[in-house]
Amino acid sequence: MEDAPPGPGAQIAGLIFAVLLLDPDLAVREANPAAEDLLHRSAKRLVGARLLDVVELDDARVATRLREADARLTVRGMALRCGARATQVNLTVSPLASHPGWRVMTISEVGQGEMAEDLVQETTLRAPAILAHEIKNPLAAIRGAGQLVARKLDEKDRPLAAMISDEVDRIARLVDRMQRLGSERADPVAPVNLHAAVRSAIATVRAADDSGVELIEEFDPSLPPVLASRDALEQVLINLISNARDASANAEAPRVVIRTRFASGLVSNLKLGRTVRLPIEITVSDNGPGIEPALRDHVFEPFVTSKASGQGLGLALVRKLVRDMDGRIGHQRDERMGLTHFRIHLPLAKDEREQV
């Protein structure tokens, strides 16, 4: 006998974005599991609470519109605060014609469900990777010729030949990063002790740091191993912590906080049509001035940087490495607290490629 299709309740429970049923008084009457995760409250605590007592919306116009019983609403890129945590979200409100005053609200984090855009970007990045491969051979020839010339030069002219070799090496390093960014090969994944990887990355940053920025660990020691590449995860964390250190260096009391926690229910859409639970969260936060507003929506794109000497490949590579581990990365700016957060979500080792 063919199984009966799932009912509306099961369908809504399976959605990866938050769904709330609001009554005419803006009290929450139902909430799906994704809403529990996003708002950091159980359904038992949400049901009966007034929406605007649970969340704070940075745009007062949205709160005003919510009080209009028949208002339809679509908002993109709005800051939503729940407790001390602020998240950039997209939000919709749909009135129910059959029940005047009742509404269905959906909330999704900015960046959720953007896999098609990611695939286009991956294809675009392969061209620079191919070009990088073609550049390597002439670079090697230039370096070799520079070394030969250096042997025949007078002592006073040898620094010029050394400069040629140094510049070739610098270009070669940039080419290597371009190749890795466009590579279709992902490092193999295995169970990884998360906190060992985080502490190793922090130690690497500290060893090269004389800025006086305080690096603070706030770990959940109960977290189990994650499914990741140890080398790739450390590289991601080194990049993020170094960027956060540089961003906060001129703050009055510069600090970077690296936090781990269990975030139940997070799900990421993947390329092959499957979904993987991502319950482990790593957050790197700094108290610097934040990313320039014009760049905030593009920080993970290649060749986008606010650093005078940057090439704009660091965060693009970070995003690729995280996606290669079936993870997800995003960032938020909390203007009220003066903090910038980069958050990584990873799968558990024991779940491997659990399908949902």
Side-chain angles (χ1 to χ4, degrees):
M1 181 177 176
E2 187 176 341
D3 291 339
Q11 294 177 41
I12 292 172
L15 293 174
I16 66 171
F17 52 85
V19 179
L20 300 172
L21 176 63
L22 305 177
D23 69 16
D25 295 323
L26 286 183
V28 177
R29 299 299 291 271
E30 291 186 18
N32 71 343
E36 294 179 88
D37 180 70
L38 182 67
L39 302 179
H40 309 291
R41 290 195 183 193
S42 66
K44 186 177 293 187
R45 291 182 61 204
L46 283 171
V47 172
R50 286 178 55 83
L51 176 70
L52 297 179
D53 293 336
V54 175
V55 302
E56 185 178 342
L57 310 175
D58 274 11
D59 192 332
R61 295 171 299 176
V62 175
T64 300
R65 287 281 286 166
L66 278 172
R67 294 184 178 93
E68 300 174 14
D70 58 348
R72 296 176 182 271
L73 197 57
T74 301
V75 183
R76 294 183 62 82
M78 180 187 68
L80 177 145
R81 183 180 296 276
C82 187
R85 181 173 174 178
T87 306
Q88 293 291 118
V89 301
N90 299 326
L91 177 149
T92 70
V93 177
S94 304
L96 299 177
S98 58
H99 293 71
W102 289 72
R103 283 153 283 179
V104 173
M105 172 181 282
T106 69
I107 312 171
S108 61
E109 290 187 63
V110 170
Q112 198 170 1
E114 294 178 351
M115 188 56 63
E117 180 182 330
D118 292 345
L119 291 174
V120 170
Q121 186 180 85
E122 280 184 5
T123 304
T124 303
L125 289 174
R126 287 177 195 142
I130 294 168
L131 179 61
H133 177 75
E134 296 302 320
I135 289 172
K136 274 193 165 181
N137 287 336
L139 277 180
I142 293 169
R143 195 181 195 286
Q147 290 172 335
L148 288 173
V149 168
R151 295 174 191 169
K152 300 178 181 180
L153 291 174
D154 294 335
E155 189 68 31
K156 63 182 178 63
D157 294 323
R158 285 182 184 173
L160 294 174
M163 185 180 70
I164 293 173
S165 293
D166 291 345
E167 286 302 298
V168 166
D169 289 344
R170 184 182 64 81
I171 296 169
R173 289 193 296 270
L174 178 59
V175 166
D176 285 340
R177 296 179 80 184
M178 289 174 64
Q179 276 191 300
R180 192 172 187 191
L181 192 57
S183 172
E184 295 180 37
R185 278 194 319 233
D187 292 345
V189 295
V192 171
N193 182 315
L194 175 64
H195 294 131
V198 176
R199 287 196 170 102
S200 179
I202 291 173
T204 299
V205 175
R206 278 185 172 140
D209 182 27
D210 58 0
S211 64
V213 176
E214 185 180 9
L215 303 183
I216 302 168
E217 301 174 5
E218 293 185 2
F219 295 166
D220 178 350
S222 68
L223 294 182
V226 296
L227 194 65
S229 160
R230 171 72 182 255
D231 288 345
L233 180 55
E234 285 190 22
Q235 184 61 58
V236 164
L237 292 168
I238 288 168
N239 280 26
L240 292 179
I241 296 168
S242 297
N243 284 351
R245 176 202 61 197
D246 294 345
S248 60
N250 294 323
E252 183 176 343
R255 68 185 184 278
V256 175
V257 179
I258 303 95
R259 182 180 296 108
T260 64
R261 75 179 188 106
F262 188 83
S264 175
L266 284 172
V267 174
S268 174
N269 291 331
L270 297 179
K271 304 173 190 175
L272 302 179
R274 55 193 171 83
T275 55
V276 173
R277 295 189 185 278
L278 303 174
I280 303 300
E281 181 180 278
I282 312 164
T283 305
V284 178
S285 306
D286 70 77
N287 63 340
I291 299 164
E292 296 173 23
L295 298 181
R296 286 178 188 171
D297 292 337
H298 307 282
V299 293
F300 295 111
E301 297 175 13
F303 314 115
V304 173
T305 181
S306 58
K307 296 182 179 180
S309 59
Q311 290 98 26
L313 294 178
L315 287 178
L317 180 58
V318 160
R319 188 187 197 192
K320 180 193 184 303
L321 293 176
V322 171
R323 290 220 319 269
D324 284 347
M325 295 183 284
D326 285 348
R328 196 176 86 187
I329 184 168
H331 75 95
Q332 294 88 33
R333 175 65 183 173
D334 186 340
E335 294 292 356
R336 177 177 299 179
M337 300 297 293
L339 298 172
T340 299
H341 307 289
F342 278 82
R343 290 192 175 92
I344 303 168
H345 296 106
L346 294 172
L348 286 172
K350 68 177 182 179
D351 290 336
E352 303 224 335
R353 298 295 193 269
E354 178 186 1
Q355 301 205 13
V356 295

